[in-house]
Amino acid sequence: VSLGSSGLSLHDGDVPFRRAGNGTRRLLAVAIQRDLAKAGGLTLVDEVEHGLEPHRLRHLLRQLRDGLGGKKGHVVMTTHAPVALAELKADELRVVRSDTGQTAILSVGSDLQQILAKCSDAFLARKVLVCEGDTEVGLCRRLDRAWSAAGASFGLAGVAVTANGDGGRTVAPAAAKALADLKYCVAYLGDSDQRMKPGRASLQASGVSLLLWEEGVALELRVARDLPWAGVRDLVRIAMDRRGERSIRDSIADALVVKPAALSLDPTEWATQVNDEPALREAIGAKAQESSQGWFKGLEGGEQLGDVILTHWEGLAGKDLRVKLDELRVWAHGT
């Protein structure tokens, strides 16, 4: 909307509208176009977020979708804003890919709705790391902060880290496959103690890089098996701070089928009291991952796991935990 000084001038009160900000002028332009559009008309908006605060952008998108007054029409827009994506529905999105002179427009399926709501910036990333749950997301965030100190961050590499809703062995792998089918570079980080759906072969056929623990275990058991014993004691101390000393001690005694009094409240003494370190590690790993009450569930718990892993990083050389996390780092920071 550009009006010369000698022509018609719009005012908002005493203020000439040409003095308004870019966002306000854009909103007026869209409103005029939609009001004058014929039934079945087409509205084109490039970088719809330009000049708009998030709340005004959300309002505009709702008006474009719902405020047509019963008219039939189409709105085609481009965006680089996660806020704009989060306001839309997955089946309203298209991903445009151009390669060697060929352009494809790919539809986003409803199976990515949870990713869109939880981590809309994944659709704007070069690479997407889909995690089984929030614990893995927290772990990756902590690792990224440490790796960033060496000058290679997920942000610099264009990596988005997300979990699909509540995670699980069905929704998260399905989201990884759907993103790979949209030609994103995708990796999936998850447990291997239960079957995934879709399975490994289907994910790999779609180009998903799989980062799954060996020996059919979950993250917590992998950590309990691979950390040096000092690191395992650190895990228990953190769990005691989060859940209480007696609660953790009693749960381990239950897993070992011994009386709670057989274990002290100081985990540094457990190795001599049990005299079976492999069994003790298994008990700790099993209880750490148990149901929704696991010791390290959620983003904060995952970051605490990351702290312990990084503290004992050198002691993990050759262990599956270190091997997979090194593979993750290469995938994220490679070309």
Side-chain angles (χ1 to χ4, degrees), residues 67-324:
L68 302 181
K71 298 178 182 178
K72 293 183 178 179
H74 295 280
V75 179
V76 180
M77 67 187 78
T78 67
T79 186
H80 297 94
V83 172
L85 293 175
E87 186 61 32
L88 301 175
K89 300 174 183 176
D91 57 10
E92 293 174 328
L93 301 183
R94 303 292 183 269
V95 176
V96 180
R97 298 290 187 192
S98 296
D99 185 33
T100 63
Q102 299 294 318
T103 298
I105 300 177
L106 308 174
S107 297
V108 177
S110 58
D111 50 357
L112 288 173
Q113 183 62 50
Q114 292 189 61
I115 292 285
L116 183 61
K118 190 169 186 177
C119 185
S120 58
D121 60 318
F123 291 89
L124 303 172
R126 297 188 183 100
K127 300 179 178 181
V128 185
L129 174 61
V130 179
C131 297
E132 180 176 316
D134 284 342
T135 303
E136 287 82 2
V137 173
L139 169 62
C140 291
R141 288 182 179 179
R142 180 63 187 92
L143 293 173
D144 180 43
R145 290 203 302 273
W147 293 339
S148 296
S153 68
F154 284 173
L156 184 62
V159 176
V161 182
T162 183
N164 190 13
D166 58 357
R169 314 298 162 77
T170 299
V171 291
K177 184 179 186 305
L179 286 165
D181 290 341
L182 292 172
K183 309 305 179 185
Y184 288 93
C185 180
V186 181
Y188 175 73
L189 175 64
D191 299 334
S192 58
D193 56 337
Q194 296 181 27
R195 291 184 61 186
M196 297 184 301
K197 185 179 179 181
R200 296 190 185 202
S202 178
L203 290 170
Q204 289 174 325
S206 292
V208 178
S209 298
L210 294 180
L211 300 168
L212 305 174
W213 314 118
E214 296 294 335
E215 302 175 320
V217 298
L219 169 61
E220 294 86 348
L221 187 51
R222 181 77 278 158
V223 171
R225 286 182 179 180
D226 289 357
L227 279 174
W229 178 243
V232 177
R233 292 200 306 263
D234 290 344
L235 291 181
V236 175
R237 288 194 184 96
I238 292 173
M240 285 180 165
D241 289 340
R242 288 169 62 95
R243 307 278 183 175
E245 292 180 341
R246 292 187 181 276
S247 174
I248 298 300
R249 189 273 310 271
D250 292 353
S251 69
I252 298 302
D254 178 69
L256 293 170
V257 196
V258 299
K259 294 181 178 180
L263 297 178
S264 73
L265 294 175
D266 183 359
T268 60
E269 299 177 5
W270 288 0
T272 56
Q273 291 170 339
V274 175
N275 200 29
D276 187 347
E277 184 177 312
L280 184 54
R281 286 175 177 269
E282 293 295 302
I284 291 171
K287 288 299 180 180
Q289 73 185 58
E290 199 170 65
S291 69
S292 60
Q293 301 301 314
W295 298 353
F296 299 100
K297 296 298 182 185
L299 295 173
E300 181 183 0
E303 294 208 12
Q304 289 179 318
L305 271 180
D307 284 333
V308 176
I309 290 170
L310 289 166
T311 298
H312 299 278
W313 187 256
E314 296 304 323
L316 288 167
K319 301 291 187 178
D320 183 57
L321 179 63
R322 171 72 179 269
V323 169
K324 292 301 189 300

